[in-house]
Amino acid sequence: MVIKWLALTLSMGIFLFVVELVRRERLTFKYAVGWLLACALAVFFSVFHNLLFAIAKFCRFELPSNFIFFVLLCVFVFLSLLLTVFLCQQNDRNDKMAKKIGIMEFELSELKTRIGQKQ
Amino acid sequence: MTPSQPKILIIIPAYNERANIRNTLKEIWALDVKTDVIVIDDGSKDATAQEARQAGAKVISLPFNLGIGGAVQTGFQFASQNDYDIAIQVDADGQHDVGYIRTILSPVLNNESDIVIGSRFMPQQEKGYRSSFARRLGIGFFVRLIGVLTGSLIYDPTSGFRAYNKKMIRIFARHYPHDFPEPEAIVLAGKFGAKIKELPVVMRKRQGGESSIRYLKSLYYMVKVTFAILLDMLKTRRLVEYGH
């Protein structure tokens, strides 16, 4: 019973922490949604732990704890993959911006030179 | 420049090439081909940009190092925005003998090719600097890989001494490989239906400074480029559709 409340408190705590981060605009909903879903699932299975045990048995896991560790591993692998995708997107955007800034800076200095010459 | 004359831009990507850039520019100024020159300073830590400006070149300074692909693509974007008809890529390190610019320019000017590659390894050509044995092995591997995948025989797929027509300028302004781009760019160009020609040129040893591809990076280069080329073959036609 203690484990149930511990799991419930921890998952609720993380859920609320993520919500708070979104509220403070430290996280956008787009990037928070994965964490919120994972926390919601954890809360759900903390309450309905018998369902979790049934699924573990159905999947032929020796112990329900093995199943929990397996699911956690899957969730983290998926989340890190998702973060890598976001990182690449960000990198790509930075590169595009750097190219644009380089060209614009050059055009600006050319323009300044031309205006200077006219004056 | 009369309206009938094509607008030609020489793109020189440069990273920490302070020791070489002035000489390279001097050689280009001495040519009797009328071109504009843009140096893309790829976030150099030395005074490459200042040196190039003092030599009289126009310089685009990138805020941080993007790698050779990013620098060259900046040149293509500049060429595309300013409506250049032909772009010529020349390394800043002095390896490319700019005297051959006329050679690689000619098929593009005559609409015979979309891309012309200045090659060190064509059969029965005059021998200049041909890179180290290990690098030649790597190049040989890419020759075969590209040959098997695309059916075209390119003797020097890693050469960055190239001329491009307007079609390729526009395509590469949008799609160009990030790092170690030369072999991959050939495969990409093939996907866009480009006519690629290779002509013999003589190259020299770099005039000063150090190559950016050394030691473990060479191994990474081989793996990365092979993987990228194989992936390019799987890319859909969606990539091919471009519009400006």
Side-chain angles (χ1 to χ4, degrees):
Chain A
M1 239 11 214
V2 176
I3 291 176
K4 178 185 171 173
W5 288 109
L6 199 67
L8 190 63
T9 313
L10 191 71
S11 37
M12 276 299 285
I14 296 174
F15 186 87
L16 292 174
F17 181 59
V18 174
V19 171
E20 178 61 11
L21 285 176
V22 177
R23 194 187 67 81
R24 285 190 201 172
E25 295 180 359
R26 302 271 295 274
L27 255 183
T28 59
F29 186 76
K30 183 185 170 189
Y31 299 102
V33 74
W35 291 107
L36 290 174
L37 274 176
C39 290
L41 266 178
V43 169
F44 178 81
F45 283 118
S46 305
V47 176
F48 304 103
H49 56 273
N50 284 336
L51 183 65
L52 185 77
F53 296 159
I55 297 172
K57 206 175 167 187
F58 177 76
C59 297
R60 305 269 171 94
F61 277 90
E62 198 78 30
L63 293 167
S65 57
N66 288 356
F67 176 64
I68 294 169
F69 283 124
F70 174 75
V71 171
L72 275 179
L73 185 75
C74 290
V75 167
F76 284 120
V77 165
F78 178 72
L79 282 178
S80 4
L81 202 62
L82 211 62
L83 288 177
T84 314
V85 171
F86 291 145
L87 190 74
C88 288
Q89 274 178 349
Q90 221 46 49
N91 196 39
D92 193 44
R93 284 174 191 166
N94 282 346
D95 281 8
K96 277 182 184 154
M97 259 199 292
K99 287 169 200 162
K100 277 210 185 300
I101 289 170
I103 293 174
M104 278 165 71
E105 215 172 42
F106 169 76
E107 285 171 346
L108 191 70
S109 73
E110 289 280 292
L111 208 64
K112 277 182 182 169
T113 314
R114 257 183 255 161
I115 291 170
Q117 279 167 351
K118 271 186 187 171
Q119 285 169 349
Chain B
M1 190 177 277
T2 58
S4 60
Q5 273 185 310
K7 272 178 86 179
I8 303 170
L9 178 71
I10 295 183
I11 300 168
I12 309 178
Y15 177 64
N16 293 345
E17 293 291 358
R18 179 174 175 259
N20 304 312
I21 192 73
R22 195 179 275 270
N23 273 343
T24 305
L25 287 166
K26 219 185 271 179
E27 286 181 1
I28 291 171
W29 302 143
L31 290 175
D32 59 345
V33 184
K34 196 165 185 183
T35 61
D36 291 334
V37 179
I38 191 94
V39 174
I40 315 291
D41 172 40
D42 190 14
S44 296
K45 293 185 184 95
D46 65 6
T48 301
Q50 292 92 315
E51 197 74 22
R53 277 193 198 102
Q54 278 169 14
K58 292 176 174 177
V59 181
I60 292 177
S61 283
L62 296 174
F64 50 86
N65 181 253
L66 293 182
I68 176 84
V72 173
Q73 194 180 28
T74 307
F76 286 129
Q77 288 175 352
F78 178 79
S80 179
Q81 282 172 23
N82 291 280
D83 208 30
Y84 279 93
D85 300 298
I86 294 169
I88 298 166
Q89 182 189 335
V90 175
D91 280 0
D93 59 12
Q95 281 198 57
H96 298 161
D97 182 346
V98 296
Y100 285 92
I101 280 182
R102 202 174 265 288
T103 310
I104 62 168
L105 192 58
S106 164
V108 180
L109 276 174
N110 300 331
N111 289 323
E112 291 165 23
S113 300
D114 298 314
I115 302 179
V116 178
I117 302 171
S119 173
R120 290 164 286 183
F121 303 115
M122 291 189 76
Q124 294 155 355
Q125 78 170 81
E126 195 187 334
K127 285 183 176 59
Y129 176 65
R130 301 187 127 201
S131 203
S132 66
F133 177 70
R135 283 197 183 189
R136 285 206 305 276
L137 273 182
I139 292 166
F141 169 74
F142 287 126
V143 170
R144 279 159 193 84
L145 182 71
I146 292 171
V148 166
L149 294 175
T150 66
S152 45
L153 181 61
I154 305 290
Y155 291 99
D156 195 357
T158 61
S159 164
F161 193 23
R162 297 176 178 189
Y164 309 85
N165 66 5
K166 201 171 205 160
K167 173 187 162 186
M168 293 320 296
I169 290 173
R170 285 188 170 182
I171 290 171
F172 283 154
R174 292 189 65 156
H175 308 284
Y176 197 70
H178 287 239
D179 33 24
F180 320 127
E182 286 85 8
E184 201 186 336
I186 293 172
V187 178
L188 262 181
K191 285 232 137 197
F192 285 100
K195 282 184 277 176
I196 304 171
K197 190 171 189 169
E198 216 178 355
L199 288 173
V201 298
V202 176
M203 289 196 194
R204 304 173 294 207
K205 217 172 165 158
R206 71 165 24 247
Q207 307 293 296
E210 284 173 341
S211 167
S212 58
I213 305 171
R214 292 180 302 157
Y215 315 123
L216 265 181
K217 214 171 173 184
S218 311
L219 193 67
Y220 171 70
Y221 176 97
M222 294 295 295
V223 175
K224 189 261 157 190
V225 176
T226 306
F227 189 62
I229 287 174
L230 291 173
L231 275 185
D232 281 339
M233 294 308 294
L234 298 174
K235 282 183 183 163
T236 57
R237 295 288 297 178
R238 192 163 57 86
L239 187 74
V240 180
E241 292 158 12
Y242 73 99
H244 279 268

